[in-house]
Amino acid sequence: MPFKKLHPNIQEKLSDLEIKTPTPFQTRSIPVIKSGANIYCTASKDSGKTTTLILTTLHKLKCEAVENAPRAIVLVENRERALELYDTFLTFTKHSSLRVYVGYEQLHIDLQKSEIFEGVDILISTPKSMNRLLLLNGVSTSQLKIFSIDDAEFLVQKSSYNALMSITQSINKCQFVLYSEKMHPILKRFESNFMEHSKKVII
């Protein structure tokens, strides 16, 4: 059972939320993500992708704050999705020391830089906002362990695609996990870039 091998704090939180049984997607994907491989996670809506993203991120960070630079980055399409995912993360990080921060284009870049500088473990952002932070040296990727992309189909938009390619060039080494409902040809292109030697879980 994938949940049984997650960090004890996560198991306790799942119990509090009365989440007992993993979905078929979670059963297949969680062990592969925990292995540290780059991975494409493809499954239909409501298969548990967002919960998987959160659980594996928390497990990777051992449910505790460390230093100031983000160790997990999650890219999302827009402000609405960023705020929605932020709220969901808080459900799982309450009563832990983990610091979750959310950024998006409409939030002034200098404010984002100063707040991130205070210390953050998990950074949720849009591609354009994240790329701008990197170009302005507003965030360090030196401690990055896992980089996830939620509902990655939005990367078919040229501006988001280009921003992502720029972002990944600033990252030396970390695990990349892409979540999507379908394996779009544009997503497959990443195999020759940052998704090399990637595995696939398709439900």
Side-chain angles (χ1 to χ4, degrees), residues 90-121:
L90 292 186
T91 303
F92 285 88
T93 57
K94 199 184 285 183
H95 310 308
S96 81
S97 61
L98 282 170
R99 299 153 298 177
V100 187
Y101 184 78
V102 60
Y104 40 86
E105 288 97 302
Q106 296 89 338
L107 200 59
H108 198 287
I109 200 75
D110 288 339
L111 176 64
Q112 292 186 58
K113 282 172 65 175
S114 63
E115 291 183 334
I116 290 168
F117 183 75
E118 295 291 319
V120 58
D121 300 293

Side-chain angles (χ1 to χ4, degrees), residues 24-151:
F25 169 73
Q26 289 167 340
T27 300
R28 288 269 306 277
S29 63
I30 289 174
V32 184
I33 298 168
K34 281 174 59 189
S35 76
N38 290 339
I39 175 170
Y40 286 98
C41 291
T42 306
S44 60
K45 190 175 171 63
D46 299 324
S47 57
K49 294 194 294 294
T50 299
T51 304
T52 300
L53 185 160
I54 293 171
L55 297 181
T56 52
T57 300
L58 300 189
H59 183 81
K60 190 91 169 179
L61 304 192
K62 298 178 180 171
C63 293
E64 61 184 6
V66 174
E67 297 181 6
N68 288 332
R71 291 171 295 140
I73 288 173
V74 184
L75 278 197
V76 296
E77 181 176 7
N78 53 36
R79 173 180 179 268
E80 289 71 31
R81 183 59 189 141
L83 292 170
E84 187 182 323
L85 187 60
Y86 174 71
D87 286 341
T88 311
F89 255 106
L90 292 186
T91 303
F92 285 88
T93 57
K94 199 184 285 183
H95 310 308
S96 81
S97 61
L98 282 170
R99 299 153 298 177
V100 187
Y101 184 78
V102 60
Y104 40 86
E105 288 97 302
Q106 296 89 338
L107 200 59
H108 198 287
I109 200 75
D110 288 339
L111 176 64
Q112 292 186 58
K113 282 172 65 175
S114 63
E115 291 183 334
I116 290 168
F117 183 75
E118 295 291 319
V120 58
D121 300 293
I122 300 162
L123 173 58
I124 303 167
S125 185
T126 60
K128 289 178 197 169
S129 187
M130 184 70 210
N131 192 34
R132 193 144 178 249
L133 280 169
L134 288 167
L135 291 173
L136 296 172
N137 295 317
V139 64
S140 167
T141 59
S142 62
Q143 303 301 311
L144 201 57
K145 293 180 178 295
I146 185 165
F147 187 111
S148 304
I149 304 176
D150 182 53
D151 293 335

